Amino acid sequence: MRLNTRLRIVLLELICLLYILLFVYAAVSKLLDFENFQIQLGQSPLLSTFAGWVSWGVPIVELVIALLLLVPRFRLVGLFAAFSLMTMFTSYIFIILNYSSFVPCSCGGILEKMGWSEHLVFNIFFAMLAILGLSLSGQQGKNWIGRMRPLSHFATIFVTLLFSVGSVIVLFLSSEEIMHHENPFIRRYPQHPIALTHSVDLKFNSYYFAGYTNDRIYLGNYTDPLHVLHMDTTLQHRQTLKIAFDRTDIPFRMAKVLIRAPYFYLMDGTVPCVFRGNIHNWKASIELKGSPYFTLAEPIDSSTIAFRNNSGKKGEHVLGVFTSNRLSKVHYTPQLLQKQIDGIFDTDGTLQYSKELSSMVYVYFYRNEFIVADKKATLDYRGKTIDTIAHAKIKVAYLKGQTVRKMTAPPLTVNAHTAVCNNLLFVHSKVPGRYENSTLWKQASIIDVYDLNKNVYVMSFSVYKIDNKELHSLFVTSTHLYALIGTELAIYELKAMLKNETKSVGRKKP
């Protein structure tokens, strides 16, 4: 036997052995840490929606290819399969590095220690080994590829290459479409979209976010409604302001202050009353007369307030708009909130207003739905949060001759707290999705982000508990996220990947 023939046989055996070791090791590593591997795949920009079958399919395919390479009779098929799979892995990493909005991790074993660029080089090297193995196998002339002409041999490898790359591209495009428009309750957690910069103990948990202007955040206090605390993002310059209010005949019970520069509003829906002042002198001197009773309110402009009250049929929740000019006007839109059970508890939620989009946003507490309407309370569209709870899971009892309603069991809260910044809706979700780490949910509050322009899910991130207290309110600006956690005010800087999502704020129909 000639030396070059022996060398070809030895090289072919070595290539097959390397692939066998690689695939067996990688498959066993994935299966031994299967739950974590599946969670990592669930965060992949390419494979999120296919994580269920891919998490099982990849290690099984790797073991099958290793078995094919082990048996000389099936070695050629094994080499083609190895080349195809390694080409898929290479394409996956190339897309991750060049076309993905974030870089996840879904490797196993020692490969997890590699950086993505090193992993790309590693995969290309093994793909070239597979091509060499196919060439060496063809030179033996004992199989169908050995009987091919050189051009046909090259064409077969090239077709395999195109098929493998094309399959990954199709997976990527399909996964992106499903994730954004038909999300099967799979969250994506990019690496560090926010970063904690400062925090301060406010000593009391009665503070709430009143507004933001001139790079300063304003906090109101339910127990001391005429005092407003404001500070900058470094927490170095803090000051308490007192609102000048001369009226003593107003029986305030639930007064609240909201700042929408250059105005501030002193409101109490139980009276009801709305007073307006200027933040330059902090005098609540102008009354917006004709205000209806309300349970939630958001200023739209100097004389217009979006509100929710219980003026609907049988005292059910209804949204509306109140305008106080020369003639006060209250416009109700009972068609916006949709009753499922009782019209009160099942339609409870949060009300926000986006000045940039000229839109009011109402997010239900107990179902996976939010409403976007214009500043006249005309419906724009009904959006869905990514969880699967479409019907409120609450139980209501009617007492005192059907005049009093109470919940008879703790409700399942879906969306707890919300904030709107430009075109983005931030929702504090209370329901874990698929392929999620249970430890993370014990340690942090999960925030889901939606693009109101496109009516699509964007990403999720975590806000970690402080002293085992979780987030109970949030406020977002174009540069920072503010969170009230217990008695702490925590300030997080928004990173580029999140800031970039707020660039286009023109109001569009999704």
Side-chain angles (χ1 to χ4, degrees), residues 5-280:
T5 302
R6 289 184 178 180
L7 181 60
R8 286 199 298 269
I9 294 174
V10 171
L11 284 176
L12 182 59
E13 292 288 341
L14 182 60
I15 291 171
C16 292
L17 179 60
L18 285 173
Y19 261 109
I20 291 170
L21 291 174
L22 174 66
F23 284 156
V24 169
Y25 174 76
V28 171
S29 297
K30 293 180 178 72
L31 293 174
L32 289 177
D33 195 16
F34 182 76
E35 182 179 0
N36 186 48
F37 173 60
Q38 194 172 60
I39 289 173
Q40 290 172 336
L41 281 181
Q43 307 308 316
S44 167
L46 274 72
L47 305 173
S48 300
T49 56
F50 312 112
W53 61 266
V54 170
S55 59
W56 285 104
V58 169
I60 290 174
V61 168
E62 288 174 335
L63 291 175
V64 169
I65 293 175
L67 184 61
L68 291 174
L69 293 173
L70 192 62
V71 180
R73 181 180 177 184
F74 303 111
R75 184 165 290 167
L76 182 61
V77 176
L79 283 171
F80 267 105
F83 172 64
S84 178
L85 187 62
M86 195 56 64
T87 302
M88 290 181 181
F89 289 163
T90 305
S91 303
Y92 171 81
I93 295 175
F94 182 81
I95 293 175
I96 287 289
L97 290 175
N98 293 278
Y99 299 101
S100 172
S101 58
F102 65 98
V103 179
C105 180
S106 58
C107 306
I110 194 171
L111 301 182
E112 191 172 349
K113 307 302 180 184
M114 289 186 182
W116 284 89
S117 298
E118 291 83 355
H119 203 165
L120 179 64
V121 174
F122 178 88
N123 284 3
I124 292 175
F125 172 74
F126 264 85
M128 298 301 294
L129 281 183
I131 294 176
L132 177 60
L134 288 169
S135 177
L136 293 173
S137 181
Q139 291 178 23
Q140 293 183 5
K142 296 180 181 180
N143 48 54
W144 58 269
I145 197 170
R147 293 189 289 273
M148 281 185 175
R149 294 180 180 179
L151 185 61
S152 299
H153 183 185
F154 173 78
T156 304
I157 295 175
F158 185 69
V159 169
T160 304
L161 175 70
L162 290 180
F163 170 79
S164 303
V165 173
S167 298
V168 175
I169 293 175
V170 169
L171 283 176
F172 172 59
L173 297 177
S174 300
S175 182
E176 287 297 282
E177 175 67 19
I178 294 172
M179 280 294 296
H180 290 307
H181 297 282
E182 305 171 26
N183 191 291
F185 206 5
I186 299 175
R187 289 187 172 89
R188 284 184 174 171
Y189 294 93
Q191 295 182 21
H192 313 301
I194 63 172
L196 178 65
T197 58
H198 300 87
S199 66
V200 62
D201 188 352
L202 301 174
K203 307 300 181 184
F204 302 98
N205 62 2
S206 54
Y207 285 100
Y208 61 89
F209 291 111
Y212 175 88
T213 183
N214 298 326
D215 297 323
R216 299 184 74 82
I217 189 74
Y218 292 83
L219 300 177
N221 192 323
Y222 288 113
T223 61
D224 190 6
L226 294 182
H227 285 85
V228 177
L229 175 66
H230 70 107
M231 60 197 75
D232 62 8
T233 56
T234 66
L235 302 179
Q236 297 298 312
H237 303 93
R238 285 188 282 171
Q239 185 179 358
T240 300
L241 301 168
K242 184 175 181 179
I243 295 174
F245 185 68
D246 299 330
R247 298 278 296 271
T248 59
D249 59 326
I250 306 296
F252 285 124
R253 285 184 288 175
M254 297 183 65
K256 186 175 182 179
V257 176
L258 291 179
I259 288 93
R260 302 292 184 266
Y263 303 109
F264 73 88
Y265 302 81
L266 176 63
M267 305 185 294
D268 190 334
T270 65
V271 176
C273 66
V274 178
F275 290 88
R276 190 187 74 218
N278 196 294
I279 62 174
H280 297 299

Side-chain angles (χ1 to χ4, degrees), residues 468-489:
N468 207 34
K469 298 288 196 310
E470 74 170 26
L471 176 146
H472 63 82
S473 186
L474 73 156
F475 192 91
V476 184
T477 71
S478 58
T479 57
H480 291 83
L481 180 144
Y482 300 82
L484 289 171
I485 306 172
T487 62
E488 293 274 341
L489 169 63

Side-chain angles (χ1 to χ4, degrees), residues 329-385:
K329 182 179 179 182
V330 179
H331 172 61
Y332 291 99
T333 54
Q335 71 277 10
L336 285 182
L337 298 182
Q338 295 181 327
K339 174 181 175 180
Q340 290 184 336
I341 300 172
D342 71 322
I344 295 181
F345 294 120
D346 63 338
T347 58
D348 203 0
T350 62
L351 177 64
Q352 303 285 342
Y353 182 75
S354 171
K355 180 179 179 181
E356 292 75 16
L357 298 181
S358 298
S359 297
M360 50 192 292
V361 183
Y362 190 86
V363 183
Y364 289 109
F365 281 145
Y366 307 119
R367 63 177 106 159
N368 64 344
E369 185 178 340
F370 60 89
I371 300 165
V372 180
D374 65 17
K375 60 184 179 181
K376 295 181 180 179
T378 300
L379 179 66
D380 189 346
Y381 67 89
R382 298 182 188 276
K384 294 288 186 181
T385 53

